Every structure is written in structure tokens, then in C-alpha cells.
Amino acid sequence: DMSNLKMGRTTSEELIPREVLFGNPEYAAPALSPDGKLLAFLKPEQGVLNIFVRTVGSTQDRLVTNDSLRGIRGVSWAQDSKTLLFSQDVGGDENFHLYAIDATTEGAIAVDLTPFKGAKAQNIITNKRFPLELLVGINKRDVAKFDMYRVDLTRALAGDAEGALTLDTENPGDVVGWGT
């Protein structure tokens, strides 16, 4: 019989502030460039998460993106050690596009590598043997099937994002994810 046991309190009655649970972190998602010279990370800029970089060993942060609306939730490096990659949707439509930005050039503008209305990008694959290319799955042809496209980063960052894409592998319909 457990009716005689006195139950102690195991949690505080004080509410956790909403800002602690749902607010922006001070720093997030650190990513070291493949050559080990730059550190990319997320931190708030005017209340919105953006990408910053700093040279390893320095304390000087430099703003790379300047999003004022939805914030950026993740960042990774292309194998060239100068291009940062991130995903973002438009107005909450959940059709995440893949963007690239030159982290080494102050004032660089992000380029949408997957500029197709209604399409999503996923399955980003980089390879150190091909530092100026990457693979990305895009459901451009059929919303239920992600085909793999090869992206020429040099061409994309020069302003020809659509021309930088080449169909690499068409999904026959039974592939749910790609890997290497």
C-alpha cells in the first residue's frame, strides 16, 4: 500500500520564461571551414539569427547575411572553404531553398541555388575532391520525387544560379534519400 508515502515536490512552480525556451541563442551552430581558417556561426543581429564569420584565433565577428525577417537556422561550408550554405523558406511556406554566399567577401549577396517556385531543396552533399561543386536534391520535376542536381558554385556565385544546375540523377520514384 503506497497511500502512506509522502510525495515531495520534484519541480519548481516557477514558470520558465518564454524567452528562455523560444528565444534566440547567443551563439549557435558553429562550423569550421574545411581549411580550418574560418569559423562560421549563427547569432542574433537585431533580434534575428544571421550568419557571422571570424578568423580562427580572432575575436572579431563579421556579419555575412543580413536577414531581417525569419532568421537562419543552420549553416555549413562548401568544400572550397569560402562558400557558406544555408536553407531558408519564404514566409513560412516550408519550401526550403538552398542558398550560397561568399564568406570571404564583405557585402556579398546570398544566391538562391534552387530558384524554383514551389520546389524544396534537401540532401546537400559536398565532396573535398570537388570543392567547387555540390549535389542537392530538388523536387522541381515532381513534388514527390527529389532528383539530384550538380551545382557549379563558381557559375552560381557569378549570378547564373539556374545555369549552374545540371541534372545528375533522376529519381525513378523509389528513392527517398540520397547518400555517398
Side-chain angles (χ1 to χ4, degrees), residues 31-99:
L32 191 61
S33 63
D35 66 7
K37 294 179 180 176
L38 295 172
L39 178 67
F41 53 92
L42 302 176
K43 83 174 191 181
E45 174 68 15
Q46 297 184 351
V48 179
L49 283 179
N50 274 279
I51 301 171
F52 286 76
V53 293
R54 76 166 59 156
T55 302
V56 171
S58 169
T59 57
Q60 294 289 352
D61 300 343
R62 183 172 57 79
L63 180 66
V64 176
T65 58
N66 195 13
D67 185 7
S68 61
L69 300 173
R70 297 188 46 78
I72 296 166
R73 297 289 171 193
V75 61
S76 63
W77 287 95
Q79 292 295 318
D80 66 357
S81 292
K82 73 178 227 171
T83 306
L84 286 168
L85 306 169
F86 63 96
S87 297
Q88 200 164 33
D89 68 350
V90 177
D93 68 2
E94 297 189 8
N95 289 323
F96 287 89
H97 287 214
L98 177 63
Y99 290 84

Side-chain angles (χ1 to χ4, degrees), residues 11-34:
T11 61
S12 169
E13 292 180 13
E14 190 175 313
L15 290 177
I16 297 170
R18 187 171 278 141
E19 179 65 26
V20 171
L21 293 174
F22 301 109
N24 285 327
E26 190 175 332
Y27 292 94
L32 191 61
S33 63

Side-chain angles (χ1 to χ4, degrees), residues 64-65 86 99-102 105-112 156-157:
V64 176
T65 58
F86 63 96
Y99 290 84
I101 191 164
D102 182 348
T105 302
E106 199 163 334
I109 304 294
V111 174
D112 185 352
L157 290 171

